[in-house]
């Protein structure tokens, strides 16, 4: 077990390179199950969620060869099992993509119920199930397993209207529909950049998917996908996290390997707060030298302000002049981290999906915890901005989605270390929880 120790108060200066998008990678890797042949995938982020998914595919019989740190050859032609009931699957949310991919390829799937970040409530998959059922599958949840089957071994094209805009359901139904007989039309879909990326990946292997990035996706079933080469887009949320970090600490940061258009929803808010952002072709120069100003924000599906940036933005709003109102429009309960900010001197009141944030002069270092991936990133930002020393436990959440976060921050002047938690202290924590 490890924790981060941050000595805050240093402006960030220099360059940081953004990795491949986590939420694209965790869909594209299971999507390789649909491909007959080798997929060479580039720009794969080195994060624990990806490692876990690659291990799951290996256990199912896939052959995976590392070309370099961010490039893999994945060949799933040898996979015969439709069963993915592994303990590791219960730890990641994206394991739900194995349902769509297996169902699409074999007409059946038995997959452990997905886990992942817990925002305090249930994370339902009813829209995924509704779509699979409309395509002719029977889907049951038994003993923590999602069991899906088709009477004739095939899914059938149909029209599906999603009742809520869901990233996971959009991608999962796209995966399932690739080999369905006829055309599948999915309406009211999510439009996040990673949805377009998954569609581009599948199309580059021979699928016929149109409309990704709009409200309606049409998938015409094809017979076969063949191997090929694909490079994953840069991670919008990782880039946004570094933008929020330099907005909080002050300084000048060149953020490289981004698609600036994907960042507009985040850049706009930061500019309202007094951050200066210059756009290059595939980079952003982010500067903050004056005071941070208050703003209001509501999280929404893309192209709205992303929920996965809400904790990071709320954290820097704690240091802005005036009162800000943050409304969480996607998840029911995504403010668990606020208690940690209060320990550092923040002034935040949460009422349901709304947080009212009174700007304070400064935060002070404290021992705090990461309760989920983005909340963990927000705690790192809080530590970088605070005076004194902040110790963050629960960093395994952060490492699920941020490649080399410690090294990347050290390179731009942050005083952050990853240190072992002595066993005696771990035992004490376990006893306290027990
Ligand atoms: N929802 C339903 N029924 C469903 C599916 C979703 O009611 O069948 C609701 C959810 O409860 C939520 C809303 O719809 O209120 C949106 O959920 P969505 O399905 O879009 O979320 P997800 O696919 O489970 C992905 C990301 C999350 C990100 C959300 C929203 C992955 C692996 N995860 O989750 O990312 O917050 O979309 O953008 O892509 C993260 O990266 O830290 C993270 C949590």
């Amino acid at each position: 077990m490890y924790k981060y120790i941050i000595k805050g108060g240093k402006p960030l200066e220099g360059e940081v390179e953004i990795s491949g998008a986590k939420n694209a990678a965790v869909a594209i890797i299971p999507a390789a199950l649909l491909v007959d042949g080798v997929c060479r995938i580039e720009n794969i982020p080195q994060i624990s969620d990806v490692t876990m998914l690659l291990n799951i595919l290996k256990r199912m019989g896939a052959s995976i060869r590392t070309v370099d740190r961010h490039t893999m050859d994945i060949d799933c032609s040898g996979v015969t099992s439709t069963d993915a009931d592994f303990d590791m699957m219960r730890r990641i949310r994206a394991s739900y993509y194995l349902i769509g991919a297996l169902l699409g390829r074999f007409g059946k799937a038995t997959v452990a119920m997905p886990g992942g970040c817990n925002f305090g409530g249930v994370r339902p998959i009813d829209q995924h199930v509704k779509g699979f059922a409309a395509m002719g599958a029977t889907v049951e949840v038994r003993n923590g397993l999602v069991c899906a089957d088709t009477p004739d071994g095939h899914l059938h094209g149909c029209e599906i209207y999603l009742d809520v805009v869901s990233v996971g359901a959009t991608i999962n139904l796209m995966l399932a529909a690739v080999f369905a007989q006829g055309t599948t039309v999915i309406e009211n879909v999510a439009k996040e950049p990673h949805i377009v990326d998954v569609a581009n990946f599948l199309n580059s292997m021979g699928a016929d998917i149109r409309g990704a990035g709009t409200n309606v996706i049409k998938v015409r079933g094809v017979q076969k996908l063949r191997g090929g080469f694909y490079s994953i887009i840069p991670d919008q949320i990782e880039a946004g996290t570094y933008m929020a970090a330099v907005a909080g600490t002050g300084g000048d940061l060149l953020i490289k390997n981004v698609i600036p258009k994907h960042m507009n929803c985040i850049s706009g808010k930061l500019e309202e707060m007094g951050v200066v952002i210059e756009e290059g072709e595939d980079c952003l120069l982010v500067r903050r030298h004056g005071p941070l100003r208050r703003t209001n924000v509501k999280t929404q599906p893309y192209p709205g302000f992303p929920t996965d940036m809400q904790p990071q933005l709320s954290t820097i709003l704690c240091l802005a002049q005036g009162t800000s109102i943050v409304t969480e429009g996607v998840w029911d309960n995504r403010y668990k981290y606020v208690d940690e900010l209060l320990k550092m001197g923040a002034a935040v009141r949460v009422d349901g999906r709304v947080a009212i944030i009174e700007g304070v002069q400064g935060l002070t270092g404290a021992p705090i915890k990461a309760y989920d991936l983005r909340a963990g990133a927000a705690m790192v930002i809080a530590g970088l901005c605070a005076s004194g020393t902040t110790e963050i436990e629960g960093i395994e959440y952060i490492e699920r989605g941020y490649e080399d976060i410690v090294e990347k921050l050290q390179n731009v002047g942050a005083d952050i270390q990853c240190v072992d938690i002595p066993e005696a202290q771990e035992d004490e924590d376990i006893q306290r929880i027990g």
Side-chain angles (χ1 to χ4, degrees):
M1 295 277 272
Y2 295 92
K3 65 182 171 184
Y4 293 161
I5 299 185
I6 303 176
K7 295 198 174 103
K10 296 190 167 56
L12 299 183
E13 307 276 353
E15 296 181 2
V16 66
E17 178 101 17
I18 298 305
S19 302
K22 161 189 167 268
N23 288 344
V26 297
I28 286 174
I29 292 167
L33 272 168
L34 295 166
V35 180
D36 191 9
V38 179
C39 307
R40 172 159 293 186
I41 307 176
E42 207 180 66
N43 210 26
I44 298 181
Q46 279 273 346
I47 51 177
S48 62
D49 267 18
V50 160
T51 310
M52 199 104 74
L53 268 173
L54 290 169
N55 285 333
I56 290 170
L57 282 193
K58 261 195 219 160
R59 280 197 43 188
M60 294 173 73
S63 133
I64 296 175
R65 195 175 73 86
T66 303
V67 179
D68 61 43
R69 191 159 184 246
H70 296 113
T71 309
M72 309 262 169
D73 282 345
I74 304 180
D75 184 354
C76 294
S77 10
V79 172
T80 49
S81 166
T82 58
D83 196 336
D85 169 21
F86 306 128
D87 243 15
M88 3 184 200
M89 294 197 45
R90 296 191 170 82
R91 285 185 248 152
I92 53 170
R93 177 74 178 161
S95 53
Y96 55 29
Y97 293 133
L98 290 166
I99 311 171
L102 288 173
L103 198 52
R105 172 159 165 189
F106 297 108
K108 58 192 210 165
T110 305
V111 174
M113 259 312 248
C117 283
N118 180 0
F119 305 137
V122 180
R123 288 179 67 175
I125 56 163
D126 58 294
Q127 297 302 307
H128 309 227
V129 172
K130 168 181 142 166
F132 297 142
M135 295 165 86
T138 52
V139 188
E140 283 175 358
V141 178
R142 287 194 302 261
N143 308 324
L145 297 175
V146 183
C147 308
D149 210 343
T150 46
D152 56 0
H154 284 290
L155 293 169
H156 298 272
C158 64
E159 287 187 12
I160 302 163
Y161 184 89
L162 297 181
D163 303 324
V164 287
V165 177
S166 159
V167 169
T170 303
I171 293 179
N172 228 345
L173 297 176
M174 237 165 39
L175 296 177
V178 163
F179 296 140
Q181 290 176 341
T183 300
T184 306
V185 180
I186 319 165
E187 289 187 63
N188 196 28
V189 294
K191 297 182 280 211
E192 270 65 6
H194 36 286
I195 286 168
V196 180
D197 208 38
V198 179
N200 286 343
F201 164 76
L202 291 167
N203 283 343
S204 73
M205 308 281 150
D208 185 350
I209 302 173
R210 292 168 201 205
T214 73
N215 291 322
V216 183
I217 292 179
K218 288 188 187 154
V219 187
R220 219 153 51 96
V222 295
Q223 295 287 321
K224 194 176 171 150
L225 300 189
R226 48 185 188 276
F229 167 85
Y230 195 75
S231 184
I232 293 175
I233 52 166
D235 196 305
Q236 176 207 34
I237 304 299
E238 189 197 10
T241 301
Y242 285 102
M243 290 167 82
V246 66
T249 60
D252 289 51
L253 201 56
L254 181 65
I255 304 184
K256 291 163 67 175
N257 187 33
V258 298
I259 298 177
K261 185 173 179 293
H262 293 168
M263 306 310 301
N264 285 349
C265 45
I266 299 165
S267 303
K269 272 295 141 195
L270 292 175
E271 282 169 341
E272 272 175 42
M273 293 174 68
V275 178
V276 177
I277 301 172
E278 275 175 51
E279 206 176 288
E281 207 171 294
D282 61 355
C283 60
L284 293 174
L285 180 59
V286 185
R287 298 196 172 103
R288 205 272 292 169
H289 293 288
L292 275 178
R293 296 192 291 265
R294 60 157 301 280
T295 189
N296 297 336
V297 67
K298 178 173 181 181
T299 68
Q300 286 171 322
Y302 189 81
F305 187 86
T307 173
D308 292 342
M309 277 300 298
Q310 182 264 102
Q312 302 89 313
L313 191 85
S314 299
T315 297
I316 57 170
L317 284 173
C318 291
L319 295 163
Q321 292 173 341
T323 305
S324 305
I325 298 179
V326 176
T327 307
E328 174 52 56
V330 176
W331 295 107
D332 277 338
N333 188 345
R334 210 175 186 176
Y335 288 119
K336 202 171 173 191
Y337 66 90
V338 164
D339 284 348
E340 306 305 292
L341 292 178
L342 297 180
K343 291 179 194 162
M344 302 177 77
V348 186
R349 267 180 305 127
V350 175
D351 185 1
R353 283 185 169 216
V354 177
I356 300 150
I357 304 174
E358 311 275 353
V360 294
Q361 284 300 315
L363 297 174
T364 47
I368 53 174
K369 277 203 163 115
Y371 284 107
D372 67 59
L373 168 62
R374 306 304 172 187
M379 293 309 100
V380 170
I381 294 175
L384 295 172
C385 297
S387 58
T389 303
T390 298
E391 296 194 3
I392 307 176
E393 289 190 14
I395 61 165
E396 56 284 0
Y397 282 111
I398 303 171
E399 296 185 346
R400 286 184 39 199
Y402 289 90
E403 177 176 321
D404 297 340
I405 188 170
V406 169
E407 293 75 10
K408 287 185 186 185
L409 285 169
Q410 283 171 343
N411 286 342
V412 292
D415 186 342
I416 175 170
Q417 307 290 334
C418 181
V419 300
D420 237 334
I421 301 179
E423 262 174 49
Q425 193 187 331
E426 273 183 45
D427 288 347
E428 205 181 284
D429 285 344
I430 291 162
Q431 277 168 15
R432 243 189 288 134
I433 295 161

